[in-house]
């Protein structure tokens, strides 16, 4: 019979596998936006973030060509697809190009490109889909795998946003808009300054569906106006500004901050009671499960007794 430490080890290994099953029934089922996303057919709750930002700024009004960077699993592409189809007039064609390093399940009306947003070839391929024209809007909901070290996470996210901005300078038409996720930190004002070089109107927004406990926000850049004689170049870093200029003046810029969405509506930080009246709570499957999810290999390992073998080896030591 296994001792208590051995039983604890077995239980912890089994729990690690169970956590990977939680796409269908997890504590997130109490998150109202998580539930609404399933009920309305969105692939992720992040769809509400773009809708609430658009509600505040009317970014998708009249848009017929859009680029979605770091698109997987595709919730923002779903929102773009719905709105752009509504916008197109007779004889017009709505085009959406979704780009991500990961494979993404197909979406009707969305051109999918599996590529790296830091490469020139990716920018050229996006432009080719628009037949030489440019996009009306570029959106990016991408974020790195957070480490929990806030300074490092904020820096990596800022570099990802600059990579998205760099490719945006290749594919966005003058007067277009750019929306991207940011992590607000102590040096975020330097990032605002870099964006102000290309966009006269820059606003930091916080959708209602984004948790207050999260440092994420969304930068809304409007009226794309590149500097005179600026030539986009993917081969060099984009405007890595120091905190002070040559004259000793601060390079930091403060931009407006706006809360988006109905402030009397659902609160993403609250835990709402499940609708269990009568028949009980009905579990909904994810709208689109991941194509190559890590938990699928974990399930196979469990079925083949991999974790039991690891426990035996640990006990043998």
């Amino acid at each position: 019979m296994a001792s208590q430490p051995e039983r604890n080890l077995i239980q912890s290994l089994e729990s690690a596998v169970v956590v990977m099953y939680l796409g269908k029934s997890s504590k997130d089922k109490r998150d109202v936006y998580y539930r609404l996303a399933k009920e309305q057919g969105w692939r992720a709750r992040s769809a509400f973030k773009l809708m609430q930002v658009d509600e505040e700024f009317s970014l998708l009004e009249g848009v017929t060509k859009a680029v979605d960077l770091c698109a997987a699993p595709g919730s923002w592409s779903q929102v773009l697809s719905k709105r752009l189809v509504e916008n197109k007039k007779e004889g017009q064609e709505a085009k959406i190009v979704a780009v991500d390093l990961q494979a993404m399940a197909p979406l009707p009306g969305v051109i999918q490109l599996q590529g790296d947003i830091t490469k020139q070839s990716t920018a050229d391929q996006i432009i080719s889909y628009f037949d030489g024209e440019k996009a009306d809007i570029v959106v990016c909901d991408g974020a790195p795998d957070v480490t929990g070290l806030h300074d490092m996470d904020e820096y990596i996210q800022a570099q990802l946003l600059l990579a998205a901005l760099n490719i945006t300078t290749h594919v966005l038409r003058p007067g277009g808009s750019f929306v991207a996720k940011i992590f607000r930190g102590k040096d975020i004002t330097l990032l605002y300054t870099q964006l102000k070089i290309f966009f006269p109107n820059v606003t930091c927004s916080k959708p209602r569906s984004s948790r207050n406990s999260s440092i994420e926000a969304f930068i809304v850049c409007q009226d794309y106006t590149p500097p005179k004689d600026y030539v986009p170049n993917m081969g060099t870093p984009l405007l890595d500004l120091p905190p002070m200029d040559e004259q000793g003046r601060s390079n930091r810029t403060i931009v407006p901050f706006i809360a988006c969405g109905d402030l009397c509506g659902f609160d993403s930080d609250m835990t709402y009671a499940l609708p269990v009246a009568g028949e009980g709570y009905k579990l909904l499957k994810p709208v689109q499960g991941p194509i190559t999810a890590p938990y699928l290999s974990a399930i196979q390992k469990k079925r083949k007794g991999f974790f039991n073998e690891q426990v035996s080896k640990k006990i043998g030591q």
Side-chain angles (χ1 to χ4, degrees):
M1 183 175 178
S3 63
Q4 184 61 41
E6 293 166 355
R7 289 198 298 271
N8 292 341
L9 178 60
I10 295 172
Q11 185 177 5
S12 63
L13 287 170
E14 290 178 345
S15 298
V17 179
V18 171
V19 167
M20 298 177 183
Y21 284 99
L22 296 183
K24 184 174 179 180
S25 59
S26 72
K27 69 177 182 179
D28 282 344
K29 67 178 179 245
R30 300 191 298 263
D31 179 345
V32 64
Y33 288 104
Y34 176 90
R35 300 205 313 264
L36 288 174
K38 284 187 174 184
E39 292 168 3
Q40 297 179 16
W42 304 112
R43 291 187 175 182
R45 69 190 299 282
S46 56
F48 294 101
K49 299 175 185 178
L50 180 58
M51 288 189 285
Q52 290 170 351
V53 170
D54 176 52
E55 181 183 352
E56 182 69 34
F57 295 94
S58 301
L59 295 171
L60 302 181
E61 185 175 341
V63 169
T64 57
K65 297 179 179 65
V67 177
D68 185 6
L69 303 176
C70 305
S75 60
W76 279 29
S77 292
Q78 285 181 293
V79 175
L80 290 171
S81 177
K82 180 177 181 295
R83 287 299 310 275
L84 268 60
V85 169
E86 296 172 354
N87 291 340
K88 71 175 183 178
K89 300 177 182 178
E90 187 175 352
Q92 282 186 329
E93 183 181 4
K95 282 192 176 180
I96 303 164
V97 178
V99 186
D100 201 287
L101 277 173
Q102 301 178 7
M104 192 171 76
L107 278 170
V110 177
I111 301 170
Q112 295 188 20
L113 172 61
Q114 190 170 355
D116 187 344
I117 65 173
T118 65
K119 292 186 177 179
Q120 179 71 47
S121 58
T122 304
D124 295 338
Q125 197 167 353
I126 293 172
I127 295 173
S128 70
Y129 288 125
F130 293 129
D131 300 323
E133 297 182 352
K134 298 292 185 72
D136 300 312
I137 187 171
V138 177
V139 300
C140 178
D141 189 32
D145 293 331
V146 294
T147 63
L149 303 173
H150 292 311
D151 287 345
M152 180 179 293
D153 293 335
E154 291 161 12
Y155 174 78
I156 297 173
Q157 176 64 18
Q159 295 305 308
L160 177 62
L161 188 146
L162 288 176
L165 176 61
N166 206 350
I167 199 169
T168 296
T169 61
H170 290 73
V171 304
L172 186 64
R173 66 166 176 80
S177 301
F178 173 61
V179 181
K181 178 184 290 186
I182 62 169
F183 289 166
R184 289 179 296 161
K186 59 184 179 181
D187 292 325
I188 193 64
T189 50
L190 289 174
L191 191 58
Y192 295 155
T193 303
Q194 294 168 326
L195 293 167
K196 290 280 283 186
I197 294 174
F198 294 93
F199 298 90
N201 300 317
V202 177
T203 307
C204 182
S205 62
K206 181 75 169 178
R208 183 70 166 169
S209 51
S210 177
R211 296 183 179 94
N212 291 330
S213 55
S214 170
I215 61 173
E216 77 165 8
F218 293 86
I219 197 73
V220 179
C221 308
Q222 297 172 283
D223 193 18
Y224 175 55
T225 309
K228 186 179 179 181
D229 300 326
Y230 174 75
V231 179
N233 184 2
M234 298 290 288
T236 57
L238 184 64
L239 303 172
D240 195 7
L241 298 177
M244 308 290 287
D245 62 15
E246 295 178 355
Q247 285 74 38
R249 295 172 299 188
S250 174
N251 274 330
R252 300 176 186 273
T253 299
I254 298 176
V255 304
F257 181 88
I258 294 179
C260 304
D262 184 2
L263 297 183
C264 296
F266 293 115
D267 185 346
S268 59
D269 285 293
M270 282 189 63
T271 297
Y272 291 88
L274 295 174
V276 294
E279 70 282 359
Y281 182 72
K282 181 180 179 182
L283 294 177
L284 297 176
K285 293 182 179 180
V287 176
Q288 175 59 57
I291 297 175
T292 54
Y295 66 76
L296 295 177
S297 59
I299 293 172
Q300 294 298 324
K301 288 181 177 180
K302 182 182 180 184
R303 289 173 178 170
K304 295 178 181 178
F306 172 81
F307 295 105
N308 291 334
E309 293 177 5
Q310 296 301 309
V311 171
S312 299
K313 291 179 181 177
K314 190 71 176 178
I315 293 174
Q317 294 175 359

